[in-house]
Amino acid sequence: MEAILEFIPLDISLVAQNFDRFLWGVWVTLNLTFLALLCGGLLAIPMAIARASRHPVFNPMVWTYTYVFRGTPLLVQTFLIYYGLGQFEAVRESWLWDPILSSAWWCAFIAFTLNTAAYTTELLRGAIIDTPKGEVEAAIATGHSYGSRMRRIILPSAFRRAIPAYSNEVIFMLHGSVVASTITLQDILGVGRWLNGRYYLAYEGFITAALLYFLIVLVITWVFRWLERRYLRHLADRRTDTPADATPEPTR
């Protein structure tokens, strides 16, 4: 075994000695990422409804919000919250400063939540708009109000059809979480940078971090494939039943 390790250009034993730190980094990364996805998703639902319904007041406000957060890098947004808000005396003297805005974790969480909410809003808006007209007309014919249609027909259908696209947002958010390491948080990449700096290494920390991200993405991909098979099975059956020589319908 020692002879094999001699041919590997990485100090595996050093990584193994500090693997508990990497496990802590995994916990920080998953905790921060999935809490932000949860809260961002909850924020995105009413905003997506406002966008899809073209509400005269809320639609322009939500459009501006999504345009700003989708048009600027997550790193800049995190820096503005973590470093920028502290420049204002009113913020430092407010009740939010000591427990929340002075904490690197909370600043990263706020930035990640607002960022993913903007992307998820537009994703859900498209899914809501693309709801088959037959489903909406059937709900109207059976006496459903607008709120009832949205709650019982449109949103469940939109959530199911948004699963493939949302899997990409989850993976992008996981990759974007490396921004947390730039504001002192010891996430996966932060631990990798610490290991390289502590022992003057070039590859060990980064390669270990890359492998951990790869494994997490692999699990996420499996989970979303299972969700697609479970909740989009009717669409797969419909594609299977379509004759090979049938003319495809035009897409929107």
Side-chain angles (χ1 to χ4, degrees):
M1 185 64 180
E2 294 180 357
I4 296 176
L5 292 177
E6 289 180 358
F7 290 97
I8 300 178
L10 301 178
D11 193 341
I12 304 299
S13 61
L14 193 59
V15 173
Q17 292 172 12
N18 294 276
F19 199 70
D20 57 334
R21 289 181 177 269
F22 279 103
L23 292 179
W24 174 253
V26 170
W27 164 249
V28 172
T29 296
L30 295 181
N31 186 33
L32 185 59
T33 301
F34 286 101
L35 281 178
L37 286 167
L38 175 62
C39 295
L42 294 176
L43 289 175
I45 294 173
M47 291 193 293
I49 295 174
R51 290 278 287 124
S53 62
R54 299 183 180 274
H55 192 279
V57 176
F58 297 116
N59 182 37
M61 297 171 58
V62 175
W63 179 87
T64 302
Y65 161 74
T66 58
Y67 187 83
V68 170
F69 277 88
R70 294 171 70 210
T72 56
L74 178 59
L75 178 64
V76 174
Q77 297 163 14
T78 305
F79 279 7
L80 286 176
I81 294 175
Y82 183 65
Y83 296 112
L85 292 180
Q87 305 299 316
F88 300 98
E89 184 177 354
V91 174
R92 294 196 304 271
E93 294 179 352
S94 68
W95 62 273
L96 288 173
W97 175 252
D98 189 37
I100 297 177
L101 296 179
S102 61
S103 167
W105 190 94
W106 277 104
C107 289
F109 171 73
I110 293 171
F112 292 1
T113 299
L114 295 177
N115 182 272
T116 190
Y119 283 94
T120 307
T121 295
E122 291 302 310
L123 189 152
L124 287 178
R125 179 191 68 86
I128 291 173
I129 292 176
D130 288 338
T131 301
K133 292 183 178 180
E135 296 181 9
V136 179
E137 292 173 353
I140 295 175
T142 54
H144 286 278
S145 63
Y146 176 79
S148 179
R149 291 198 305 272
M150 188 63 66
R151 184 178 67 256
R152 303 182 64 181
I153 306 297
I154 299 176
L155 282 181
S157 176
F159 290 155
R160 290 195 299 270
R161 287 180 286 104
I163 289 175
Y166 190 66
S167 65
N168 291 329
E169 170 59 19
V170 173
I171 294 173
F172 289 154
M173 193 70 248
L174 175 68
H175 290 166
S177 68
V178 299
V179 169
S181 66
T182 65
I183 57 172
T184 72
L185 288 177
Q186 290 292 293
D187 63 344
I188 297 175
L189 181 60
V191 175
R193 294 172 63 183
W194 171 85
L195 184 70
N196 285 356
R198 175 71 179 273
Y199 297 100
Y200 302 99
L201 303 173
Y203 305 108
E204 282 79 352
F206 292 145
I207 290 180
T208 304
L211 290 175
L212 290 173
Y213 282 114
F214 175 81
L215 291 175
I216 296 172
V217 169
L218 191 62
V219 173
I220 292 173
T221 302
W222 285 343
V223 170
F224 274 94
R225 284 182 179 175
W226 176 81
L227 291 174
E228 290 181 30
R229 288 195 300 268
R230 179 177 176 84
Y231 294 104
L232 298 177
R233 185 180 305 168
H234 61 291
L235 298 180
D237 294 340
R238 187 181 303 173
R239 288 193 297 267
T240 303
D241 295 339
T242 302
D245 59 347
T247 302
E249 297 182 0
T251 57
R252 293 179 58 123

